[in-house]
């Protein structure tokens, strides 16, 4: 079992990578900035084509993406095996993420993709050392990356288009390979025309660290006019998007980020590998702008909320945890770039 050293040093190591467990009150921010207009202004044919072309460019899956996110200070509390630990404050939490999605083969029935994702987090946590209100700052840098191969098959089910997908992913810590996991999805297209798209499906993951391993999915997209779109993919995100200028788009809504996870190898003297996982809900505003060279610049700001933050042994489930944290909501800012360097420009 765990000794006293683990209770102190292990808790501190967990805390400095932690956020929290609070009720996910998701408030869609800034909807008033995207007003509906009772009658869309008339646009000439060229303007409509430019708007549609811009929408297509935003909708394309980007080959490479990189983004940087910075959080404001926030307070945190936690428990270790049901025992309260001293409260503290995160004075720094910044993260850099990069991803790649490369098509290896594609035809009418099959799509084969190679994927990769990397995340680096730098965190600093201040915790009290005694009853004299003195505190000690602890810093830690964390790395996580995963690579995978995804296979998608397009078919028919009950006369509707059906999409089946399976992927094999390899998760790595700073030291070694930690886990091989699979993700399998199935979806059926209920409606697809120029204005509305509706898909329903289900996702299953073999990862024991997932809070819910079987998840229903819903994709809903509706174009109110040439510049205003409702874009929903549950449980991942929900946005109301408004085209601005000739190459810009402003979105208001929320996004779920379940990928803040790391493997920790230095929490006890037994060499046990633990997994830390938090799920972030990010309500806010997002502005995207198309730059030359098929590059999309994204600027995002809002409030980060943590429904879940736990540490558990790698081979155990999310519900069989050792450490659990809770944190205040924190403001965040995010800047990102995504691009497809080999994409052919459209005329």
């Amino acid at each position: 079992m765990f000794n006293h050293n683990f209770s102190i040093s292990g808790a501190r190591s967990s805390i400095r990578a932690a956020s929290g467990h609070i009720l996910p009150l998701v408030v869609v921010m800034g909807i008033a900035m995207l007003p509906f207009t009772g009658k869309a202004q008339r646009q000439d044919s060229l303007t409509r084509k430019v708007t549609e072309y811009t929408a297509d460019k935003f909708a394309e899956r980007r080959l490479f993406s990189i983004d940087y996110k910075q959080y404001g200070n926030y307070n945190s509390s936690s428990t270790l095996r049901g025992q309260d630990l001293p409260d503290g404050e995160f004075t720094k939490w910044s993260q850099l993420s990069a991803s790649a999605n490369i098509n290896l083969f594609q035809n009418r029935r099959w799509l084969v993709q190679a994927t990769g994702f990397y995340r680096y987090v730098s965190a600093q946590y201040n915790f009290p050392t005694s009853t004299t209100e003195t505190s000690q700052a602890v810093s830690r840098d964390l790395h996580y990356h995963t690579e995978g191969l995804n296979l998608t098959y397009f078919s028919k089910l009950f006369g509707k288009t059906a999409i089946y997908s399976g992927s094999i992913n390899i998760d790595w810590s700073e030291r070694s390979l930690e886990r091989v996991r699979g993700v399998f999805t199935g979806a059926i297209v209920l409606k697809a025309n120029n204005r509305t798209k509706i898909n329903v499906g289900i996702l299953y993951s073999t990862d024991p660290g997932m809070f819910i391993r079987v998840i229903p999915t819903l994709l809903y997209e509706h174009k109110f006019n040439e510049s205003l779109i409702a874009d929903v993919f549950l449980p991942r995100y929900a946005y109301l998007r408004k085209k601005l200028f000739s190459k810009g788009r402003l979105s208001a809504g929320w996004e779920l980020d379940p990928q803040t996870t790391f493997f920790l190898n230095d929490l006890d003297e037994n060499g046990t590998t633990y997994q830390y996982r938090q799920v972030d809900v990010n309500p806010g505003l997002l502005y995207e702008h198309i730059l030359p060279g098929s590059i999309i610049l994204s600027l995002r700001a809002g409030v980060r909320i943590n429904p879940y933050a736990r540490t558990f042994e790698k081979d155990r489930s999310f519900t069989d945890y050792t450490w659990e944290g809770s944190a205040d909501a924190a403001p965040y800012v995010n800047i990102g770039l995504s691009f497809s360097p080999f994409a052919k420009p459209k005329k």
Side-chain angles (χ1 to χ4, degrees):
M1 296 301 291
F2 301 96
N3 56 29
H4 178 71
N5 290 333
F6 174 79
S7 300
I8 302 299
S9 63
R12 291 173 180 173
S13 299
S14 297
I15 290 174
R16 49 190 188 229
S19 292
H21 173 79
I22 70 176
L23 293 176
L25 176 60
V26 180
V27 179
V28 177
M29 302 174 58
I31 294 296
M33 299 181 62
L34 307 177
F36 288 89
T37 54
K39 295 183 179 179
Q41 296 181 350
R42 292 186 177 181
Q43 298 177 318
D44 57 34
S45 177
L46 178 60
T47 303
R48 283 197 300 271
K49 289 180 179 179
V50 170
T51 302
E52 293 170 359
Y53 165 72
T54 303
D56 289 341
K57 296 301 290 180
F58 280 121
E60 288 179 0
R61 188 164 187 172
R62 314 306 295 172
L63 188 61
F64 299 107
S65 297
I66 184 170
D67 71 84
Y68 174 81
K69 184 178 290 184
Q70 177 71 53
Y71 300 111
N73 294 8
Y74 58 95
N75 296 323
S76 175
S77 61
S78 61
T79 61
L80 178 65
R81 293 197 175 278
Q83 300 296 317
D84 291 337
L85 298 173
D87 295 346
E89 180 188 19
F90 277 93
T91 57
K92 178 185 179 183
W93 182 289
S94 59
Q95 62 187 44
L96 179 69
S97 302
S99 64
N101 299 279
I102 302 173
N103 290 353
L104 302 179
F105 174 78
Q106 183 176 8
N107 61 21
R108 291 183 59 192
R109 292 287 185 182
W110 295 95
L111 172 63
V112 181
Q113 294 174 307
T115 63
F117 176 81
Y118 168 78
R119 172 168 285 169
Y120 162 73
V121 165
S122 179
Q124 181 171 302
Y125 183 78
N126 287 342
F127 62 93
T129 57
S130 68
T131 57
T132 59
E133 298 185 358
T134 60
S135 62
Q136 178 179 347
V138 176
S139 300
R140 184 159 187 177
D141 297 330
L142 298 164
H143 304 266
Y144 165 83
H145 64 98
T146 181
E147 292 78 40
L149 187 66
N150 185 74
L151 179 65
T152 303
Y153 177 69
F154 303 90
S155 182
K156 289 286 185 180
L157 182 66
F158 307 122
K160 305 268 186 193
T161 298
I163 306 168
Y164 307 98
S165 178
S167 64
I168 300 296
N169 301 275
I170 302 175
D171 296 341
W172 301 78
S173 66
E174 303 174 19
R175 298 182 180 180
S176 62
L177 187 154
E178 299 293 351
R179 175 179 291 135
V180 178
R181 58 182 171 87
V183 179
F184 306 94
T185 64
I188 185 170
V189 181
L190 300 181
K191 186 175 183 179
N193 55 41
N194 291 334
R195 290 179 58 84
T196 305
K197 297 180 179 64
I198 302 176
N199 297 1
V200 294
I202 192 166
L203 178 148
Y204 170 73
S205 174
T206 65
D207 184 357
M210 292 286 291
F211 176 62
I212 302 176
R213 296 173 65 177
V214 180
I215 305 173
T217 62
L218 169 67
L219 184 149
Y220 173 76
E221 180 183 300
H222 181 74
K223 296 181 180 180
F224 299 100
N225 52 48
E226 288 83 359
S227 62
L228 187 64
I229 301 173
D231 186 4
V232 178
F233 182 37
L234 300 179
R236 190 62 188 270
Y237 63 79
Y239 281 108
L240 187 63
R241 305 189 188 276
K242 174 76 172 179
K243 302 296 187 307
L244 294 179
F245 317 114
S246 62
K247 295 184 177 181
R249 183 172 73 174
L250 179 66
S251 303
W254 59 269
E255 182 170 318
L256 181 70
D257 181 4
Q259 290 185 294
T260 304
T261 185
F262 303 96
F263 295 96
L264 306 171
N265 303 291
D266 56 357
L267 297 189
D268 63 16
E269 298 176 353
N270 299 323
T272 306
T273 299
Y274 293 85
Q275 183 175 0
Y276 168 82
R277 182 183 291 275
Q278 73 179 40
V279 179
D280 295 334
V281 181
N282 299 310
L285 296 175
L286 167 65
Y287 177 73
E288 300 163 283
H289 194 87
I290 299 176
L291 303 175
S294 298
I295 298 174
I296 295 181
L297 170 68
S298 62
L299 302 171
R300 189 193 308 263
V303 178
R304 190 275 310 270
I305 300 172
N306 297 121
Y308 312 107
R310 290 175 179 174
T311 299
F312 45 91
E313 293 186 31
K314 182 181 72 171
D315 297 327
R316 298 191 177 183
S317 68
F318 184 84
T319 56
D320 188 11
Y321 60 91
T322 301
W323 173 94
E324 184 177 44
S326 61
D328 295 340
Y332 72 87
V333 292
N334 192 135
I335 182 171
L337 292 172
S338 58
F339 51 96
S340 296
F342 309 114
K344 296 181 180 179
K346 297 180 180 180
K347 294 183 180 181

